Amino acid sequence: MDSAPVSEASYLPDSVRTSVKLLIVGHFAVGKTTFVGTLSEIRPLRTEERMTQAGAVVDDLAGVRDKTTTTVAMDFGRLTLSDHLVLYLFGTPGQRRFKQLWSDLARGALGALVLVDTERLEQSFEVMDLLESYGLPYAVAVNQFDDAPVFPEQEVREALDLLPTTPLVICDARDHASSAKALIALVDHLLKTDQESP
């Protein structure tokens, strides 16, 4: 793993008093590492390893585009929103064999953004089921891959069996503005959920 030289931007201002932990989750090869890297103001921590022939036995590569590496622990990025507030973004690995790690990463998180791919929507159910079992509120972002089919929002919402209150947005994990919009949808949802709690 490469290490970046330390710069002033690596340190938080002394004025920061509140930190928020958010998860970026989704099935295998949906763009979580790209999403965290696009938004992080620091060089993100990545635990990616080259995929091997041996991994093909456990990782379903159907519908996966040109993937040569995979996250084996987590991705980590940081986004300072104000002089007082910072977001910590934790990207989870997408394979089922990392289920215990998902549970560990969920501790202390306020919510999650679920990235989905319209070609493999069915692979999102296990991830959303896990979030619901942890009691974590979430928003869903359809990551736009160049050759993926595009469906009306209502069809995607129905296919994923989302509650009417669950935000659904379209994003491109490679684009900063688009990714920021998806993260804002999650934060807005968390604020509303918190206000509605007894």
Side-chain angles (χ1 to χ4, degrees), residues 72-187:
V72 295
M74 68 175 182
D75 299 307
F76 172 78
R78 186 185 80 202
L79 185 59
T80 305
L81 295 186
S82 72
D83 290 341
H84 306 286
L85 176 64
V86 65
L87 300 182
Y88 291 117
L89 308 176
F90 288 80
T92 63
Q95 298 95 319
R96 175 187 291 245
R97 66 182 180 272
F98 294 111
K99 192 172 177 179
Q100 180 57 50
L101 183 57
W102 297 347
S103 175
D104 293 341
L105 286 173
R107 288 192 190 111
L110 290 188
L113 182 67
V114 181
L115 294 182
V116 301
D117 176 356
T118 55
E119 284 191 322
R120 299 177 293 144
L121 285 177
E122 72 285 350
Q123 294 182 23
S124 304
F125 289 116
E126 183 175 18
V127 175
M128 292 186 295
D129 287 345
L130 276 172
L131 292 174
E132 289 170 6
S133 73
Y134 302 148
L136 275 179
Y138 60 88
V140 176
V142 176
N143 190 12
Q144 290 182 309
F145 290 96
D146 292 334
D147 55 353
V150 177
F151 299 103
E153 179 182 322
Q154 192 55 38
E155 284 186 28
V156 175
R157 184 173 284 284
E158 288 173 11
L160 291 173
D161 195 26
L162 298 179
L163 292 171
T165 55
T166 302
L168 176 65
V169 297
I170 308 298
C171 83
D172 181 337
R174 302 164 295 186
D175 180 75
H176 188 274
S178 178
S179 296
K181 181 181 169 189
L183 198 61
I184 288 167
L186 170 62
V187 172

